[in-house]
Every structure is written in C-alpha cells, then in structure tokens.
Amino acid sequence: MKLPTIGAAVLAAAMTLAAGHLTAQSPPLDDSEKEIERYRQMLSDPFSNPGFLAVDRGEALWAEPRGSKKVSLEACDLGEGPGKVDGAFARLPRHFADADRVMDTEQRLLWCMDKLQGLDTADIVKRRFSGPGVASDLEDLTAFIANKSSGMKIEPQLAHAKELEMAAVGEELFYRRGGVMDFSCATCHADEGKRIRLQGLPNLSVPGPAAQATMASWPTYRVSQSALRTMQHRLWDCYRQQRWPVPDFGSDSLTALTVFLQKQAAGGEINVPSIKR
Amino acid sequence: MTRTAFVTLACAVLLIGGPALAQEKPNQATVDAYVKATFGKASPEWQARIAPDESLAACNIRRNNVSSAESDAIIKRELARVSYPADGKLLGDWKKGYAVANNGRGGQFSDPPGTVAGGNCFACHQLDPKEVSYGTLGPSLAAYGKDRKYDPETMKDAYTKIYNSMAVVPCSNMPRFGTNKVLDEQQIKDVMAYLFDPESPVNK
C-alpha cells in the first residue's frame, strides 16, 4: 500500500529535477550530473530509499519456512558457511563445491530453494523481475543479502580454476560484438568520459574507481522503474539495448560477466541498495 | 647491480605471467558454449544475430585492432555489401531524417513485432547544435554538410558510411545500418538529407 505512494513521490521529485536542469542551459552534463548527485544525497538515507523495503521483504522471506521441506533459507550456504550472510555478497560470485559451479547470488538462492527447501522454482523464476503488483522474491532476497555486505569491500574470488575461467570468459564476452547493431559491452563502456544521450558511461574495461563505483552500487532502486533491480536485470537490460537475444536468467554468461566486472571493481566499498535514475 | 636486479625481476614477472596469461584467453569453443547456454533459448532467428559474420568475427578476435591486411580484407568485403540508390539520388527529406535520427526504438527483444527501427544517431553524435541531449561516443556532426561544402563525393562517402560503416572504417563502432537491415534505403536517404540539406538544422 505504501510503496506506490513513495514511488510516485520519488518519480515526481525526479521529474521536477529533470525539468529544472532543462531550463538551465549551460553546460548540460555538469548541471545534470550535479542535480543527480544532489538528488542521490537527498535520498541516500534508509528512510527515504524505497530499496530498503525490498531489503525488509527479503529478510522476512529468508526466515520464512517454505517448499516441500517447510524450512527457511537460514541454513543456505552463500559461501561463508551455512546461514552466514554477513560479507557473503562481497565475495560472490564464487565456486561452490557442492554444486561444482561458480554461482552468483541469484543462482545460489535458486540452488538453495531447490535443494534445501524443496521449492518449485519455476514460479520464482517467472517472477524474476518485479512489476506492477508482482513482487520478485529474488530481487528482495538479493537486496537483503547484498545489504549485509554494505560497508565491506568487493573481494573477487579468483582462486578456483572455474572462477578464473569465468573471469576470462567474462572478459571475452565484454568485447564480443553481435546483434543487428554489432554492439558489445565495450562499445559503450571502454572509454573515458563518454556518454549516451546525456547519460554518463563508466569505463569498465579498466580496473579502478569507475568499475568500483558501478559494481558497489548494485542492487539499486531504479526510480524510473519504481523497482529494486539487481545485476541480473542490469545485464538483461544491457543485452536488450545491444539488440542481442534475451539472455537466460541466472545463466553462466551473465555470471561470467559479473565475475569479470567484480574483478575490475576489486576493493570498491559496497553501499547498497543505492538509488539511481 | 641494477641491471641484474632488473633481469631477475623480468624473469620473475615472466614466470608469474606465464600461467596467468594462459588463463587470460579461453578458447573460442568455451566462450561459444557459454553463449549457447545463455542465449540458446531464443528463437533461431534471434540466435542468428549473434553468429558474427566474417568481418565481425575478425574484429571480435582482435578486439577491433585488426592488422592492415585484415583491414583491407574487411573493407573489400564490406564495400561489396553496399548498395546505392537505383535512382542515383542520395538525399531524401531532412524532416523525416530527423525523426529517424531521434528514434532509438527497434530491434530490441522488448519491441513489438513490426516495430520500425530508428537510427538512434543522437545517442552517439551531436547533430543539430541546438539539441542538448546528445551522446559523445561518435564525433560531432554539427554543420556536417555545410563544412563539407555539400560536395557530391563526400555525400557518397557519407552514404557508404551509414549503409556500412566497416566499408570505410574496419571494426567501426558504428552499426552497419543498411547491410544489417536496421534502416531501409529511404530512411538512409532521409538521414543523409538531415546531414546535407542546407535547410536542415544541422547546417544552420
């Protein structure tokens, strides 16, 4: 009941700010960037960022007994040991011996839902992205788990051979062009100081501050979508904009890209859920 | 002393670098398997979009830094894939060209079937200097025709570039709008007019 009201208020604020920078003519990028920064500051406390509602729902879902085994996710091993959530997100994706796979947060959640809870994940995957009147368990749980790593530094896991393979394949995929426009991730994210329309583009081809700031700010509350979004959605949307086919949710290419991007973002301080346009 | 230290360091770097470098480049079959696992559920028509043609495959392998021999081969191959208007006219209607340049829709998996694609030129280029919202991935094209004195040869080059960017610059980041069938001939003519018509805001 409360969420749409907050969403509408946030959107109204965003539109007011957008209108504000359009009337101020010169120089457009600096002005809009400043306004966006001011806007982020305004909304950066937990009581005004609707992303924290997702964190709260995720926390409740984490503790709720579900599935044929009627157990909660509290014994789920996110890499730090069963039930340990603090700091887990900072070291995801990582290799899990029990599955012998490198998994990101969502892949691991689906694995725990299946193996631990005996939950039919078909419906969970169908609701992978929230929409009007449809909540996403995966977005909420990921927000909760990620928030438990806030203030910690991104620590890419690159010890296991499969983690190294993921990083290497992710890098290849970053540069692989395709789709009707011949685009790759690198088309937009491999140069300094570029923008698409008025949107600044972080250079993710080199390790450092741009990659750190980017990766440390997901999951985020997208004002334009009135929804909390995770990296899975960001990459899905990037491939949509690149005119590639639909990527499968929780598939290995997306995890590989995430491993590569975490590698570029090593040491970045996590501050989530953030809030973005 | 310094030299010995340097050589030792260089050897150490080589030793460390050896195995790490082997990890850096996964073989193409491994990468293809990842791609298949991720995009394999899309329709065959959609999957065909990410099977690179010969030129794009060369660009992908070299991350766009192709050798001069590869570069020549790409230009030759892509020039053969350009078709010029049968009526010999390169310029259409600049107002329609603006609409094409301003339209970022089409070709996305979220688009309804039959969506007419735009060129989305403003995403990367400055065109009309009065437009505030433009991208900088490509160079500014403000005053494009005027600066080139509306020269017919230059017009033909621009048509070639829009139709197939790689026929001019191998591995260009710009889409091959005509060859990849993003824009049809009339749309390209209209964008050409937006660039070259003296009445177009681009040249005002």
Side-chain angles (χ1 to χ4, degrees), chain B residues 7-194:
Chain B
V7 171
T8 313
L9 184 65
C11 288
V13 168
L14 276 177
L15 284 170
I16 298 161
L21 278 177
Q23 285 290 345
E24 283 300 316
K25 267 277 181 194
N27 67 50
Q28 212 46 52
T30 305
V31 181
D32 289 342
Y34 273 75
V35 171
K36 181 81 187 157
T38 294
F39 300 95
K41 283 182 192 160
S43 71
E45 184 201 340
W46 272 87
Q47 285 185 57
R49 290 178 168 209
I50 50 169
D53 59 26
E54 208 178 344
S55 299
L56 199 62
C59 298
N60 278 341
I61 288 165
R62 302 261 180 254
R63 291 188 190 170
N64 299 336
N65 294 315
V66 287
S67 69
S68 61
E70 286 166 326
S71 178
D72 292 346
I74 289 171
I75 288 180
K76 194 178 166 200
R77 187 185 304 122
E78 297 303 317
L79 260 180
R81 301 174 76 197
V82 178
S83 72
Y84 296 94
D87 63 6
K89 289 182 184 144
L90 297 179
L91 306 190
D93 177 342
W94 72 258
K95 285 177 186 160
K96 287 180 183 159
Y98 164 72
V100 174
N102 200 35
N103 176 11
R105 299 203 62 202
Q108 303 182 348
F109 56 66
S110 54
D111 286 322
T115 302
V116 175
N120 205 16
C121 312
F122 279 104
C124 300
H125 295 286
Q126 182 180 35
L127 295 138
D128 174 354
K130 289 203 180 76
E131 168 61 58
V132 173
S133 173
Y134 63 88
T136 59
L137 286 159
S140 170
L141 306 178
Y144 195 85
K146 190 181 174 185
D147 282 356
R148 285 156 184 79
K149 301 182 168 57
Y150 308 106
D151 173 57
E153 272 308 301
T154 314
M155 278 185 206
K156 196 185 168 195
D157 291 346
Y159 188 94
T160 308
K161 181 81 189 262
I162 297 167
Y163 199 98
N164 187 327
S165 57
M166 289 202 206
V168 181
V169 180
C171 305
S172 167
N173 269 343
M174 184 165 142
R176 293 174 287 176
F177 287 108
T179 299
N180 279 358
K181 300 195 179 345
V182 176
L183 301 179
D184 64 24
E185 185 180 291
Q186 190 56 49
Q187 287 178 302
I188 296 175
K189 283 180 168 188
D190 292 340
V191 171
M192 281 290 293
Y194 190 54

Side-chain angles (χ1 to χ4, degrees), chain A residues 21-22 25 28 161-162 164-166 168-169 171-173 175-184 186-189 191 193-198 201 236-237 239-249 251-254 256 263, chain B residues 23-26 28 30-32 34-35 37-39 41-42 46-47 49-50 52 56 59-60 63-64 101-102 104-110 118 120 122-123 131-137 166 171-177 180 182:
Chain A
H21 90 71
L22 279 180
Q25 279 288 324
K162 289 195 177 174
L164 286 170
E165 179 184 289
M166 276 271 174
V169 170
E171 183 173 346
E172 287 298 299
L173 292 171
Y175 289 98
R176 188 180 178 118
R177 300 173 66 180
V180 286
M181 303 286 232
D182 296 336
F183 289 155
S184 70
T187 306
C188 290
H189 293 288
D191 266 318
K194 298 287 184 184
R195 56 179 225 236
I196 193 161
R197 286 284 188 166
L198 281 180
L201 299 165
W236 173 88
D237 205 28
Y239 275 118
R240 183 180 70 86
Q241 292 175 310
Q242 284 180 62
R243 278 79 175 169
W244 279 52
V246 185
D248 206 15
F249 184 88
S251 57
D252 285 343
S253 295
L254 302 188
K263 187 180 162 194
Chain B
Q23 285 290 345
E24 283 300 316
K25 267 277 181 194
Q28 212 46 52
T30 305
V31 181
D32 289 342
Y34 273 75
V35 171
T38 294
F39 300 95
K41 283 182 192 160
W46 272 87
Q47 285 185 57
R49 290 178 168 209
I50 50 169
L56 199 62
C59 298
N60 278 341
R63 291 188 190 170
N64 299 336
N102 200 35
R105 299 203 62 202
Q108 303 182 348
F109 56 66
S110 54
N120 205 16
F122 279 104
E131 168 61 58
V132 173
S133 173
Y134 63 88
T136 59
L137 286 159
M166 289 202 206
C171 305
S172 167
N173 269 343
M174 184 165 142
R176 293 174 287 176
F177 287 108
N180 279 358
V182 176

Side-chain angles (χ1 to χ4, degrees), chain A residues 127-163:
Chain A
R127 293 183 290 113
R128 62 202 183 282
F129 305 134
S130 61
V134 183
S136 164
D137 295 3
L138 288 163
E139 284 176 350
D140 294 343
L141 283 163
T142 304
F144 162 65
I145 293 162
N147 179 248
K148 290 283 185 189
S149 287
S150 256
M152 299 180 192
K153 292 200 158 75
I154 294 171
E155 278 181 61
Q157 299 297 297
L158 298 164
H160 195 278
K162 289 195 177 174
E163 291 165 348

Side-chain angles (χ1 to χ4, degrees), chain A residues 86-262:
Chain A
D86 287 0
F89 187 77
R91 290 179 279 277
L92 280 165
R94 70 193 295 166
H95 180 260
F96 289 89
D98 53 12
D100 194 22
R101 273 181 80 191
V102 177
M103 294 167 158
D104 74 346
T105 313
E106 280 104 321
Q107 283 175 311
R108 189 59 185 172
L109 280 167
L110 287 169
W111 198 89
C112 285
M113 286 170 175
D114 177 35
K115 307 283 182 213
L116 206 70
Q117 297 184 298
L119 194 65
D120 178 8
T121 54
D123 167 62
I124 305 283
V125 173
K126 201 175 157 198
R127 293 183 290 113
R128 62 202 183 282
F129 305 134
S130 61
V134 183
S136 164
D137 295 3
L138 288 163
E139 284 176 350
D140 294 343
L141 283 163
T142 304
F144 162 65
I145 293 162
N147 179 248
K148 290 283 185 189
S149 287
S150 256
M152 299 180 192
K153 292 200 158 75
I154 294 171
E155 278 181 61
Q157 299 297 297
L158 298 164
H160 195 278
K162 289 195 177 174
E163 291 165 348
L164 286 170
E165 179 184 289
M166 276 271 174
V169 170
E171 183 173 346
E172 287 298 299
L173 292 171
F174 184 82
Y175 289 98
R176 188 180 178 118
R177 300 173 66 180
V180 286
M181 303 286 232
D182 296 336
F183 289 155
S184 70
C185 309
T187 306
C188 290
H189 293 288
D191 266 318
E192 298 300 326
K194 298 287 184 184
R195 56 179 225 236
I196 193 161
R197 286 284 188 166
L198 281 180
Q199 180 66 52
L201 299 165
N203 180 2
L204 304 175
S205 72
V206 289
Q212 287 174 337
T214 300
M215 295 306 285
S217 63
W218 289 86
T220 193
Y221 182 82
R222 296 299 301 260
V223 173
S224 55
Q225 300 171 20
S226 297
L228 178 120
R229 298 303 189 197
T230 72
M231 210 54 203
Q232 282 284 336
H233 188 274
R234 179 60 270 183
L235 293 173
W236 173 88
D237 205 28
C238 280
Y239 275 118
R240 183 180 70 86
Q241 292 175 310
Q242 284 180 62
R243 278 79 175 169
W244 279 52
V246 185
D248 206 15
F249 184 88
S251 57
D252 285 343
S253 295
L254 302 188
T255 305
L257 275 167
T258 307
V259 172
F260 168 65
L261 292 173
Q262 289 288 81

